[in-house]
Amino acid sequence: SQQGEEDPQALSIQEGENATMNCSYKTSINNLQWYRQNSGRGLVHLILIRSNEREKHSGRLRVTLDTSKKSSSLLITASRAADTASYFCATFGWGANNLFFGTGTRLTVIP
Amino acid sequence: NAGVTQTPKFQVLKTGQSMTLQCAQDMNHNSMYWYRQDPGMGLRLIYYSASEGTTDKGEVPNGYNVSRLNKREFSLRLESAAPSQTSVYFCASSGGKTGLNYEQYFGPGTRLTVT
């Protein structure tokens, strides 16, 4: 399977702390994407990082990509209660026709 | 700008019944997708349409059919529903020349229960 795997499966932190989620994948990729899903809602795209990029920032989000280790991390700084959600990585492989989603990390931010 | 819309939001079917899930996007995207999401699993692709007039199977196409009605609309049909098709179904779209390797925009989902 090309699916990514997120680690940890669940994470609980206090408001104001940083949250780090990791994603590992198996095949060579064109790009890797992170999505957020609030309970009962559709997924929202957060950030896309291409295979020739090593780090990308968007507001309080920082994504790194290590293609040699086939892994990525998502860092959310200064977390807020509103960040409580599930976070998914998704990979788009070279020659592929679609994204493959991981099983997600459930983040709980305690006010 | 509504983005991606899906109807219905909830549906209960009996085994063997048929239904069509509707999806529409107003972002002029070329590509559209249907996923299912089951507890403890990520999203799995059922079918996708890279551009108007084309459709292709994804990871779990059995028991489903699709129609790309026009650039805006992409429907998913269950011909004979089975309990294993109980799931949350998401439609998504993406832009770009073919759109396949760009970020995707998701609808709110349809929660389907088959009894």
Side-chain angles (χ1 to χ4, degrees), chain A residues 30-31 33 35 37 41-43 45 48 88 92 97-103, chain B residues 35 37 40-45 48 59 90 100-104 106-108:
Chain A
N30 173 298
N31 67 69
Q33 304 178 28
Y35 289 80
Q37 184 180 34
R41 303 285 185 92
L43 278 73
H45 179 263
L48 181 156
F88 295 88
F92 194 96
N97 292 322
N98 50 267
L99 283 174
F100 285 90
F101 284 83
T103 53
Chain B
Y35 293 91
Q37 184 177 35
M41 302 185 74
L43 276 71
R44 291 183 294 168
L45 183 67
Y48 67 99
E59 198 180 344
F90 290 99
L100 294 177
N101 65 342
Y102 288 77
E103 62 267 27
Q104 296 185 10
F106 283 78

Side-chain angles (χ1 to χ4, degrees), chain B residues 5-18:
Chain B
T5 56
Q6 291 182 236
T7 55
K9 286 188 167 50
F10 300 94
Q11 184 71 49
V12 178
L13 292 178
K14 293 189 188 320
T15 297
Q17 287 185 319
S18 63

Side-chain angles (χ1 to χ4, degrees), chain A residues 6-109:
Chain A
E6 287 92 339
D7 172 61
Q9 290 186 340
L11 179 61
S12 185
I13 60 174
Q14 297 287 331
E15 201 166 32
E17 293 180 337
N18 296 342
T20 299
M21 288 158 267
N22 302 296
C23 171
S24 59
Y25 57 91
K26 296 178 182 176
T27 61
S28 295
I29 59 169
N30 173 298
N31 67 69
L32 184 145
Q33 304 178 28
W34 285 91
Y35 289 80
R36 183 188 75 231
Q37 184 180 34
N38 290 89
S39 183
R41 303 285 185 92
L43 278 73
V44 174
H45 179 263
L46 296 176
I47 200 162
L48 181 156
I49 186 165
R50 300 202 180 276
S51 60
N52 60 352
E53 298 174 310
R54 291 296 166 259
E55 189 170 310
K56 210 161 180 182
H57 297 255
S58 176
R60 294 183 297 113
L61 306 180
R62 174 180 164 243
V63 168
T64 61
L65 179 64
D66 187 335
T67 53
S68 67
K69 293 182 180 177
K70 292 188 168 58
S71 67
S72 174
S73 67
L74 170 66
L75 168 67
I76 304 173
T77 59
S79 63
R80 305 166 181 167
D83 295 329
T84 293
S86 291
Y87 292 81
F88 295 88
C89 71
T91 56
F92 194 96
W94 289 106
N97 292 322
N98 50 267
L99 283 174
F100 285 90
F101 284 83
T103 53
T105 292
R106 174 72 190 166
L107 173 66
T108 302
V109 181

